Amino acid sequence: MITLINYGSGNIQAIANIYNRLNIKYQISKEESDLKNSDKLILPGVGDFDETMKLLQNLNILDTLNELVLIKKIPILGVCVGMQILGNSSEEGTTPGFGWIKGKVKKFDITKLSQKPHLPHMGWNNVHPAKDTSLFKNVTIENGFYFLHSYYFDCSSQDDILAYSEYGIKFPSAINNENVFGFQFHPEKSHQNGIELFKNFAEL
């Protein structure tokens, strides 16, 4: 069972609609018992780093998530700010992230951006795989993905970069370490490419 973690933020229904279309079983929950009975977890995210961590803290599920991810090795996918909180910290706030993938979230340097308005980075952009992964099976890479963010994940290790994109600088747009995965873009807004990604995650 895939659990979409319902902590009060993120495009949960958009992801649910995709799994309904694919006829893949899922549940939307914030209950500890449901999380512990999951085969996979998805952390959607819309908003800022500190607020997202605060919402999760208020549910008292941080210890449960750490157990499932670090000890039981349940696959987890973070989307947008859901990816950013996989790291250690963010320039957007002061609250620590999970630290499941080592790295710091940084704000784009607007002096390196030619596009106006400079931020947020919004719209379709290319994604370039950095390594082979089944997550991009049947994905039409040249069609790109939809982005909406002002901060990017600066990985401590290049080995954790699954794919990268360019916006003034080259930045990680997909990350992975063992059972932990993250997408900076919004697959739920990326048409057929996003559908394929969620399908592939379900099949891991």
Side-chain angles (χ1 to χ4, degrees):
M1 177 70 71
I2 300 172
T3 297
L4 312 182
I5 302 174
N6 183 17
Y7 62 95
S9 178
N11 296 324
I12 286 186
Q13 193 54 52
I15 300 173
N17 291 341
I18 290 174
Y19 279 132
N20 285 331
R21 176 177 173 180
L22 292 170
N23 198 29
I24 292 175
K25 291 183 178 181
Y26 70 93
Q27 61 184 350
I28 298 174
S29 183
K30 58 187 177 183
E31 301 300 325
E32 184 178 18
S33 58
D34 290 332
L35 297 177
K36 288 187 173 182
N37 289 323
S38 303
D39 298 315
K40 295 181 179 69
L41 302 167
I42 295 180
L43 262 174
V46 174
D48 67 71
F49 191 100
D50 278 10
E51 178 65 19
T52 299
M53 289 303 299
K54 181 180 178 181
L55 289 170
L56 290 166
Q57 288 169 356
N58 289 343
L59 293 176
N60 295 316
I61 60 173
L62 296 188
D63 288 343
T64 298
L65 290 175
N66 276 314
E67 176 188 355
L68 294 174
V69 173
L70 297 178
I71 298 175
K72 294 190 175 181
K73 299 295 183 181
I74 299 295
I76 187 167
L77 170 62
V79 175
C80 197
V81 73
M83 164 177 152
Q84 294 178 358
I85 62 173
L86 303 177
N88 299 96
S89 63
S90 174
E91 291 181 348
E92 190 176 17
T94 59
T95 304
F98 283 107
W100 295 334
I101 295 183
K102 303 304 180 186
K104 182 176 183 178
V105 177
K106 298 181 178 180
K107 190 170 186 177
F108 284 108
D109 182 352
I110 62 172
T111 65
K112 297 181 179 180
L113 303 176
S114 59
Q115 297 91 333
K116 293 183 179 181
H118 298 306
L119 292 175
H121 170 214
M122 180 172 63
W124 293 82
N125 199 349
N126 293 325
V127 170
H128 307 281
K131 61 177 72 173
D132 291 333
T133 173
S134 61
L135 282 178
F136 289 114
K137 178 184 176 183
N138 295 325
V139 168
T140 305
I141 290 296
E142 56 268 25
N143 287 350
F145 292 88
Y146 185 85
F147 289 79
L148 179 57
H149 64 118
S150 298
Y151 293 80
Y152 66 95
F153 195 114
D154 185 21
C155 288
S156 296
S157 172
Q158 295 294 306
D159 292 338
D160 293 336
I161 300 176
L162 196 60
Y164 66 89
S165 298
E166 294 187 21
Y167 189 65
I169 61 169
K170 182 188 290 187
F171 69 92
S173 49
I175 58 177
N176 165 236
N177 186 291
E178 295 185 347
N179 55 308
V180 181
F181 301 85
F183 297 145
Q184 182 59 69
F185 48 84
H186 285 278
E188 76 278 8
K189 296 182 179 180
S190 299
H191 306 323
Q192 189 60 37
N193 271 355
I195 293 171
E196 295 295 342
L197 283 184
F198 282 122
K199 179 182 178 183
N200 293 336
F201 179 71
E203 295 174 349
L204 284 178

